[in-house]
Amino acid sequence: MIYTVENRGRPVRVFVNGNEVRKAIYADTERGIVRYYPEPIRIKRGTDEVYTRTLRGQVTVEPMH
C-alpha cells in the first residue's frame, strides 16, 4: 500500500529494514520505497524544493496509538 502525508489521516510509524524513519513523506510497502526529509531540513540549491532522500528495503507502516 502507498502511504503519503495526504492520505494516511492519522499518525503512523515507518520502518525500513526494522529501522524507524522519521519525517517520512511517502512510503510504498509493495515496492519497498520510503521518501523522507533528512534533518536538518534544507532547500535544494537554486530552487524552492525541499531536499529529500529515498531508502529502499523491507518497508512496514504501523499506526501510532
Side-chain angles (χ1 to χ4, degrees):
M1 180 169 186
I2 298 175
Y3 294 88
T4 63
V5 174
E6 291 83 24
N7 75 357
R8 63 184 175 195
R10 57 189 166 145
V12 295
R13 294 172 65 187
V14 178
F15 296 90
V16 176
N17 297 332
N19 298 313
E20 185 174 6
V21 178
R22 298 193 181 272
K23 308 271 189 213
I25 56 171
Y26 173 88
D28 188 340
T29 56
E30 294 174 4
R31 293 176 54 202
I33 298 174
V34 172
R35 195 164 294 128
Y36 72 101
Y37 299 129
E39 291 185 347
I41 295 177
R42 57 190 182 187
I43 305 296
K44 284 185 181 180
R45 190 179 304 182
T47 68
D48 291 336
E49 295 179 42
V50 177
Y51 179 75
T52 62
R53 285 192 176 166
T54 302
L55 294 174
R56 296 178 185 272
Q58 177 74 33
V59 177
T60 56
V61 178
E62 299 177 356
M64 292 179 74
H65 294 106

